[in-house]
């Protein structure tokens, strides 16, 4: 299940960004190019309805 959140809200992830992206791909999300560039530490994705969201892991403790 992909959790729907109000705009500009965050949802904590367990594990690495790569693990979360893999999990979301398995749930039907797709990677999206929003011009973020390959050198960024986040991944832009879209849910099956086309709503875009970012996946990133904070470096904060």
């Amino acid at each position: 299940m992909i959790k729907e959140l109000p705009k500009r809200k965050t949802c904590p992830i367990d594990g690495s960004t790569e693990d979360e992206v893999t999990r979301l791909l398995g749930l039907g999300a797709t990677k999206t190019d929003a011009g973020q560039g390959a050198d960024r530490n986040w991944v832009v994705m879209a849910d099956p309805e086309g709503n875009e969201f970012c996946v990133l892991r904070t470096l904060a403790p």
Side-chain angles (χ1 to χ4, degrees):
M1 175 174 76
I2 297 176
K3 188 185 288 187
E4 183 175 337
L5 299 171
K7 292 203 182 274
R8 300 196 155 271
K9 296 293 180 178
T10 61
C11 181
I13 62 174
D14 295 324
S16 69
T17 300
E18 182 179 314
D19 290 344
E20 186 66 7
V21 168
T22 300
R23 185 184 79 81
L24 293 168
L25 288 170
L27 293 172
T30 56
K31 289 185 180 180
T32 303
D33 181 4
Q36 68 273 21
D39 61 335
R40 301 297 180 204
N41 65 348
W42 67 84
V43 179
V44 180
M45 300 187 79
D47 67 19
E49 295 177 353
N51 301 300
E52 293 182 347
F53 59 94
C54 295
V55 178
L56 65 143
R57 185 170 184 272
T58 181
L59 297 177

